[in-house]
Amino acid sequence: MKLEKKFEVKDGRLYKIGGDEVNMDGMAKTVKWSQVEPQDEMYDESFLAALRDELKNLEAQKKCVYIDAIFDRNGNAGQFTAAMKHCARRIKDCASVAGFSIPPELAKDGGTEGNAAAMYQEELLQKHQQYVFFCKETLADCVKLQ
């Protein structure tokens, strides 16, 4: 199922496509790496199913969130990216999801091509081109978080 892009990023701010700036208060849904993948290569499918149900409920209420992806366990950027990509596959039909955050652990090298933040974005965008990305660091095409 391919979802249409609803948002765009302009100068580090989130806008509806062809419309007004979006107020981001209350838009974050925290998802910890340890919730998605409590052990290496072992995904918690019951957590992901409950997350999908919650996001579908928000969709029915015409609400949108971004997934605030938290790098909270030992491992490398590649493992984290694989876990969040798996999460994205499980919630792929949730129109309530505007995109994913880029954790500071991935953004620390500036978001240049070939680095952890860029690879994370590329991986998630392969099948989810409707997503926008949110970050605390200054990165190109990223909604700047306070």
Side-chain angles (χ1 to χ4, degrees), residues 111-131:
T112 57
E113 186 174 335
N115 72 22
M119 290 172 33
Y120 172 74
Q121 291 175 70
E122 289 168 17
E123 286 293 316
L124 290 178
L125 288 173
Q126 282 180 0
K127 294 196 175 188
H128 311 285
Q129 294 183 357
Q130 77 276 13
Y131 288 161

Side-chain angles (χ1 to χ4, degrees), residues 83-98:
M84 289 304 131
K85 186 175 181 180
H86 185 80
C87 177
R89 278 196 301 263
R90 292 296 180 256
I91 61 172
K92 68 183 174 205
D93 66 335
C94 297
S96 60
V97 179

